[in-house]
Amino acid sequence: MSARDEVLARIRGALGDNPADAPPVVRAYREAGEHPPGSAAVVDQLVERLEDYRATVVRTRGADESVGIAIAAALDAVGATSSIAAPGVPDGWTSATPVCIRDVGTITPRELDRVDAVVTGSVVAISETGTIALDGSPRCGRRMITLVPDVHLCVVSVADVVQSVPEGLARLDPTAPLTFVSGPSATSDIELSRVEGVHGPRHLVVVIAG
Amino acid sequence: MSTFLGMPAGRVPGPAADTAVGQLTGNRSFPAAARDALGDTRLRRNLAHATATIRAKRASVVGEVPDWEALRDAGSAIKADTMARLPELLEELERNVTARGGTVHWARDAAEANGIVLDLVRATGADEVVKVKSMATQEIGLNEALEEAGITAHETDLAELIVQLGHDKPSHILVPAIHRGRAEIREIFAREMPDVDLATLTDEPSVLAAAARTHLRELFLRARVAVSGANFGIAETGTLTVVESEGNGRMCLTLPETLITVMGIEKVVPAWRDLEVFLQLLPRSSTGERMNPYTSMWTGVTPGDGPQDFHLVLLDNGRTRALADDLGRTALHCIRCSACLNVCPVYERTGGHAYGSVYPGPIGAVLTPFLTGVTGGHDPNDSLPYASSLCGACYDVCPVKINIPDLLVQLRAEHTEAHAAAHRLPSAEAAAMAAAAWVMSDPARFARAGRAAGTARHGIRRGRPLLPLPPPLNGWTASRDAPSPPAETFRDWWARTRGGRS
């Protein structure tokens, strides 16, 4: 018997002829928060939670040019002199940052290691947990580009901010390559005290637009 | 075949995990190992500090979730539903992973899983792999198996790196180096990292984390093969999930060409929607954060993004043994958050090494014997169900409501029965209980015994605990006080005073 057939047979044997009827799953938890997506309350909460994780948060108006000015200022503030942008970010986001190159899918990890910062959009943000989701779409970029550079500058549109985890997950396609980011890289492995900055980007700059 | 108290007729348990392969059994019983651990004052100080820190953080972030109990109920119900439908869900997971370009392998036990991974690594021609922290690969002893075949396995999680560089063993599910303080970690890094700058290496956690970043960066950039575990595998979509903090997981899951994921069969969940429950329960219970810094999810292979060769190894290794038992099945609900370790008064004092298994603490004390079986003899795992005061704190914090105290009691009963079956002579405990039953079954005998104890008190030590008792009763007083018998028994007092009314 193949390992597959044997493991499945073992499981069926362990469950018996009449597998126990598991009670139905009752979902009495909150499906949605009390504040609507994009409301001032959820945006304020997102800012508070991100700053609690020691992310840098910048707020700007929604026009691409405004976002572009905020991005240029933020990159300057962290001292980034080279940057790469996800292929689908609007031109206006990088027009004030002339050194920013576009990812065309050919850069190697080793080359990427010499780039200071990466600029991407995002699909959804969850305010209660301070979480930003990236889905590998052109605006979010391949997973590699948001990982190797030391600064991740991520633009969150106010309309994409929801309050609860269930609301956030409902907006995502699970088969896309997903990355949830909640603050900069961190560890609690030394005496269970949280310190920021291990292997992922040590600086997370969030530009909230709109 | 093993028998289970909680096993209805018609179920056939799978074989026990082979304790000769992997790390499910120590070489000493819990009491023997715990005695040494208790004598290590530095260990106790490190553990007390770390567990107190994490307990406070967990309590704070759990307290701010108004529907926490409803989430626990849902988490528990989803796991129960999963176990009842396990064959169908695993087949669905396999179908969906395969449809998206992944390859699914099945492993009956640790040796088979190690063999599958080894063959896959060899096929790539690589002589090293980078690893994401994974309990399943620790359980099966994968690093040792790869090492034997000449393949270097690099642990990349900071705590795992501390354990690996310290030639040590993990002692906690979430933070395997919890038994190490910052000064010890600095010593290990100074000794084992060839390129570290000793002049600037202090014992500040941020400095130590930066040293690990520098040490591993080159490795991440050159690695061609990664090995991971999985926190969840979603049957409905074929999506695998890894939650982590440092970004070492993302490095391993993104940069290499080949990714091999080893997952216990119990880690499957039915639907994408179920993650909305577990992604709320797990981080708050585990690291005491509202959300862990990074969660990665991938479904098979995505062209142009991440590893283009993906293998999923589904592991039994004793899980189908636990599955046949009603309570053992609930031990498989565990999502490896380690909250029960952090609140356990026994774990806090002994640390994880005393348990022998890679699964320490309250959940380890039940999961390990369910996977490996209780022999009734001198197997170290036979002592694990007794590594508890049954205080119930583990049940209160468990995000999926595993009733660990109930499981411990059942395993103790199983151990007693297995012991009786394996030995002609009754144990000292059974002999003492039989003697007590004989005394207590007759009122006159019981009264005489009580008075005799009161008299003995005068002869031995007036007013002080009887410590230690003479052999063979010293086994009891080695870790407990035997109270001094009263001068007057309750029965005599009652006969004299009628409860104070006369």
Side-chain angles (χ1 to χ4, degrees), chain A residues 4 6 10 13 27 29-31 110 113 143 178 180 182 185-187 189 191 194 198-200, chain B residues 11-12 67 94 100 108 159 182 213 217-218 245-246 250 273-274 276 289 293 295 297 305 316:
Chain A
R4 175 186 190 277
E6 185 165 344
R10 285 179 186 177
R27 296 177 192 266
Y29 54 84
R30 295 170 308 145
E31 304 265 334
R110 215 169 276 281
D113 195 35
R143 285 173 287 175
L178 295 173
F180 292 180
S182 306
S185 160
T187 183
D189 280 355
E191 299 180 0
R194 181 180 160 116
V198 201
H199 303 294
Chain B
R11 295 193 196 162
V12 182
D67 51 346
E94 177 185 52
R100 302 273 308 193
R108 282 167 275 225
R182 59 182 71 187
R213 177 185 171 96
R217 180 56 65 134
E218 170 59 25
S245 295
E246 296 163 16
R250 292 178 67 192
R273 195 184 168 199
D274 297 327
E276 72 189 21
E289 292 166 306
T295 299
M297 301 175 195
D305 190 348
D316 177 356

Side-chain angles (χ1 to χ4, degrees), chain A:
Chain A
M1 205 190 295
S2 72
R4 175 186 190 277
D5 292 346
E6 185 165 344
V7 172
L8 285 169
R10 285 179 186 177
I11 297 169
R12 293 201 165 92
L15 293 174
D17 299 334
N18 300 303
D21 281 335
V25 176
V26 177
R27 296 177 192 266
Y29 54 84
R30 295 170 308 145
E31 304 265 334
E34 60 270 36
H35 303 294
S39 61
V42 293
V43 174
D44 287 349
Q45 187 179 46
L46 178 69
V47 173
E48 180 219 315
R49 299 280 147 102
L50 284 168
E51 288 179 340
D52 188 44
Y53 293 140
R54 314 250 169 96
T56 306
V57 183
V58 178
R59 298 188 65 168
T60 177
R61 282 183 309 209
D64 288 349
E65 291 67 31
S66 308
V67 174
I69 291 165
I71 287 172
L75 289 177
D76 197 42
V78 294
T81 56
S82 58
S83 56
I84 185 168
V89 305
D91 288 339
W93 289 9
T94 54
S95 53
T97 313
V99 291
C100 190
I101 57 169
R102 285 292 168 127
D103 177 40
V104 290
T106 52
I107 192 165
T108 66
R110 215 169 276 281
E111 289 164 343
L112 205 49
D113 195 35
R114 291 191 287 271
V115 176
D116 290 340
V118 56
V119 177
T120 73
S122 58
V123 235
V124 64
I126 300 165
S127 68
E128 278 184 353
T129 58
T131 302
I132 298 167
L134 311 171
D135 67 354
S137 60
R139 197 175 264 238
C140 297
R142 297 183 293 151
R143 285 173 287 175
M144 183 201 294
I145 64 164
T146 52
L147 175 60
V148 179
D150 207 10
V151 179
H152 180 191
L153 196 152
C154 185
V155 179
V156 173
S157 169
V158 160
D160 295 333
V161 183
V162 300
Q163 185 177 337
S164 73
V165 172
E167 287 172 276
L169 262 56
R171 291 188 176 206
L172 293 165
D173 170 9
T175 63
L178 295 173
T179 305
F180 292 180
V181 176
S182 306
S185 160
T187 183
S188 303
D189 280 355
I190 299 168
E191 299 180 0
L192 282 172
S193 304
R194 181 180 160 116
V195 292
E196 283 76 21
V198 201
H199 303 294
R202 288 183 284 193
H203 304 280
L204 176 67
V205 183
V206 181
V207 174
I208 298 182

Side-chain angles (χ1 to χ4, degrees), chain B residues 463-487:
Chain B
R464 280 194 294 160
L466 292 171
L467 233 183
L469 290 171
L473 301 176
N474 59 351
W476 176 267
T477 52
S479 54
R480 302 171 184 86
D481 286 346
S484 177

Side-chain angles (χ1 to χ4, degrees), chain B residues 121-441:
Chain B
V121 177
R122 276 189 176 137
T124 67
D127 60 1
E128 63 177 4
V129 301
V130 284
K131 281 192 70 207
V132 190
K133 179 177 153 25
S134 136
M135 293 308 297
T137 61
Q138 277 180 25
E139 173 191 323
I140 63 176
L142 177 65
N143 289 9
E144 292 74 14
L146 292 175
E147 223 58 70
E148 259 175 46
I151 292 161
T152 310
H154 301 280
E155 292 289 352
T156 64
D157 169 77
L158 180 53
E160 290 284 6
L161 180 70
I162 294 164
V163 167
Q164 192 175 43
L165 293 179
H167 311 289
D168 200 357
K169 287 192 166 172
S171 71
H172 190 275
I173 291 174
L174 169 73
V175 193
I178 195 170
H179 55 291
R180 297 289 196 182
R182 59 182 71 187
E184 293 167 87
I185 296 167
R186 188 205 170 262
E187 280 171 38
I188 293 169
F189 281 12
R191 193 175 62 231
E192 301 283 339
M193 287 182 177
D195 41 0
V196 76
D197 179 7
L198 289 174
T200 55
L201 186 70
T202 68
D203 65 359
E204 266 305 303
S206 58
V207 173
L208 295 169
R213 177 185 171 96
T214 310
H215 177 71
L216 288 177
R217 180 56 65 134
E218 170 59 25
L219 202 56
F220 286 133
L221 294 177
R222 74 166 187 243
R224 291 166 48 209
V225 182
V227 177
S228 84
N231 292 94
F232 309 100
I234 303 166
E236 173 190 48
T237 57
T239 306
L240 278 298
T241 307
V242 163
V243 301
E244 52 132 355
S245 295
E246 296 163 16
N248 65 304
R250 292 178 67 192
M251 291 281 179
C252 295
L253 301 170
T254 307
L255 298 185
E257 297 146 23
T258 300
L259 171 63
I260 304 164
T261 300
V262 181
M263 182 181 108
I265 51 174
E266 82 283 19
K267 295 277 163 225
V268 67
V269 295
W272 166 242
R273 195 184 168 199
D274 297 327
L275 279 201
E276 72 189 21
V277 176
F278 295 116
L279 287 183
Q280 295 192 73
L281 291 171
L282 180 55
R284 291 182 199 257
S285 300
S286 189
T287 51
E289 292 166 306
R290 296 185 178 104
M291 188 67 87
N292 50 289
Y294 298 131
T295 299
S296 294
M297 301 175 195
W298 70 99
T299 308
V301 169
T302 304
D305 190 348
Q308 296 300 297
D309 188 18
F310 170 57
H311 298 269
L312 175 65
V313 183
L314 295 171
L315 174 71
D316 177 356
N317 205 38
R319 285 161 178 76
T320 51
R321 183 184 184 279
L323 188 67
D325 179 278
D326 278 342
L327 280 173
R329 186 175 298 184
T330 66
L332 297 178
H333 293 185
C334 175
I335 56 174
R336 311 281 189 263
C337 73
S338 67
C340 63
L341 280 60
N342 302 328
V343 298
C344 178
V346 176
Y347 178 88
E348 183 179 350
R349 283 158 184 82
T350 66
H353 290 157
Y355 295 79
S357 162
V358 292
Y359 301 109
I363 187 62
V366 294
L367 183 61
T368 303
F370 269 118
L371 294 177
T372 66
V374 172
T375 65
H378 295 287
D379 189 287
N381 286 352
D382 278 17
S383 63
L384 291 180
Y386 299 92
S388 168
S389 63
L390 300 179
C391 75
C394 46
Y395 181 35
D396 290 342
V397 297
C398 178
V400 291
K401 296 180 86 166
I402 300 172
N403 192 334
I404 296 175
D406 264 12
L407 271 73
L408 288 163
V409 169
Q410 177 180 315
L411 283 165
R412 290 180 186 188
E414 262 173 44
H415 174 249
T416 305
E417 293 200 344
H419 187 275
H423 298 75
R424 205 174 276 273
L425 283 171
S427 65
E429 185 190 18
M433 289 297 171
W438 181 77
V439 169
M440 294 169 88
S441 62

